Amino acid sequence: MLRDRLAHYRYVLMMPVLLLLAVQLTACGDKEPDQRKAFMQFLQTTILPGGERLPTLSEDQKKKFGTYVSDYQVLLTFTQQYTQAVNASLMPVLDQINQIRVPQDYLSHRGDLQQAAGALNLLGPQIERLQKQADDARVALKQPDDLKALYAQVYTKLVTQPAQNVTPVVTSAATLSETLVQVGNFLNMQGAQVTYGANSIAFPTRLQATQYNELMAGLQTQQQQLVQAQAAAGVH
């Protein structure tokens, strides 16, 4: 009887300890709500109002966001790779186009422009690949409904829209570059027959002048299309 009573007392005394341990584990183990709240606040106050250049997370932010650091990394990886691709392929073409101001520039820039335009042809498929990688990574994320709705807004701004908006710019820049090179090639073929003024050009025959004017007519339309595409995409 004494042994049974002692065993009973031991069981009773152990119960509060086990209950206390369970309470402590519950209180300390579920950090997800706080992490989600901090991450959502960061998206709302910093990312959505900001531009396309995303900040790198500090160590303190990584600690606060916890598991949601990987959600942010999807956005950061795309924007970094997208910016690098655009800067390497599109910007050199736009720079060459902007340097053509007088008729002789068609000749002097045609080689560099043709080379830059060759790299531009690879940009479209590259951006498609980057977007698909981001889309696949996003699908794998596990997000509560409140975060999912907010994240969708951020994703549209930073991934979907830039990828869509840059496509007309790439197309217009490629078309304009091709025409500019054609003009340069045409002038090169005329050789010494062409007379250049400060902002004018003269040909010895009407046929040559007509051919040149036809190229220039298409050029003006293409240039306007590029300007409009750049304005819509925010690319300058």
Side-chain angles (χ1 to χ4, degrees):
M1 292 295 292
L2 179 59
R3 182 182 304 171
D4 293 341
R5 291 172 62 189
L6 289 173
H8 174 70
Y9 292 148
R10 187 181 305 114
Y11 174 77
V12 172
L13 289 172
M14 289 178 63
M15 283 298 292
V17 177
L18 293 176
L19 288 173
L20 178 61
L21 180 61
V23 170
Q24 290 176 337
L25 289 175
T26 301
C28 299
D30 191 8
K31 296 181 179 179
E32 188 277 333
D34 290 337
Q35 293 171 348
R36 179 168 22 122
K37 181 179 178 181
F39 183 54
M40 290 179 65
Q41 184 178 15
F42 174 70
L43 294 179
Q44 290 172 323
T45 61
T46 302
I47 303 305
L48 273 178
E52 294 181 0
R53 187 179 297 276
L54 299 185
T56 302
L57 296 181
S58 65
E59 292 303 317
D60 182 61
Q61 287 174 319
K62 290 179 181 179
K63 183 177 180 181
K64 288 180 178 179
F65 300 161
T67 184
Y68 293 113
V69 170
S70 59
D71 299 53
Y72 183 69
Q73 189 62 42
V74 173
L75 304 172
L76 184 62
T77 298
F78 174 83
T79 54
Q80 289 178 337
Q81 293 179 344
Y82 168 86
T83 301
Q84 182 178 5
V86 169
N87 288 342
S89 300
L90 178 58
M91 292 308 174
V93 173
L94 297 180
D95 181 60
Q96 287 294 326
I97 291 174
N98 290 333
Q99 291 185 49
I100 298 177
R101 298 183 178 89
V102 297
Q104 285 182 307
D105 290 339
Y106 295 120
L107 277 173
S108 59
H109 286 277
R110 68 189 180 104
D112 291 337
L113 181 57
Q114 190 168 21
Q115 183 177 357
L120 182 62
N121 294 331
L122 304 176
L123 181 59
Q126 185 178 6
I127 291 178
E128 289 180 3
R129 184 172 63 255
L130 294 177
Q131 184 177 7
K132 186 179 185 308
Q133 291 174 353
D135 289 345
D136 292 343
R138 180 190 177 190
V139 170
L141 299 176
K142 300 184 184 300
Q143 298 175 331
D145 290 342
D146 56 349
L147 174 57
K148 184 178 293 186
L150 175 60
Y151 192 85
Q153 297 179 42
V154 178
Y155 192 89
T156 297
K157 174 189 174 183
L158 296 176
V159 180
T160 308
Q161 289 181 347
Q164 291 176 346
N165 292 343
V166 80
T167 300
V169 181
V170 173
T171 302
S172 297
T175 302
L176 178 58
S177 298
E178 183 178 355
T179 304
L180 288 170
V181 171
Q182 288 176 355
V183 174
N185 290 338
F186 173 77
L187 294 177
N188 184 60
M189 290 176 60
Q190 310 314 308
Q193 300 179 62
V194 181
T195 302
Y196 295 97
N199 289 295
S200 63
I201 187 169
F203 298 89
T205 69
R206 183 180 297 274
L207 176 60
Q208 290 171 310
T210 299
Q211 291 174 331
Y212 177 79
N213 288 334
E214 287 176 352
L215 287 172
M216 296 304 295
L219 198 64
Q220 292 175 359
T221 300
Q222 293 165 12
Q223 186 173 21
Q224 185 61 34
Q225 290 173 343
L226 176 59
V227 170
Q228 292 173 351
Q230 286 181 260
V235 177
H236 301 286

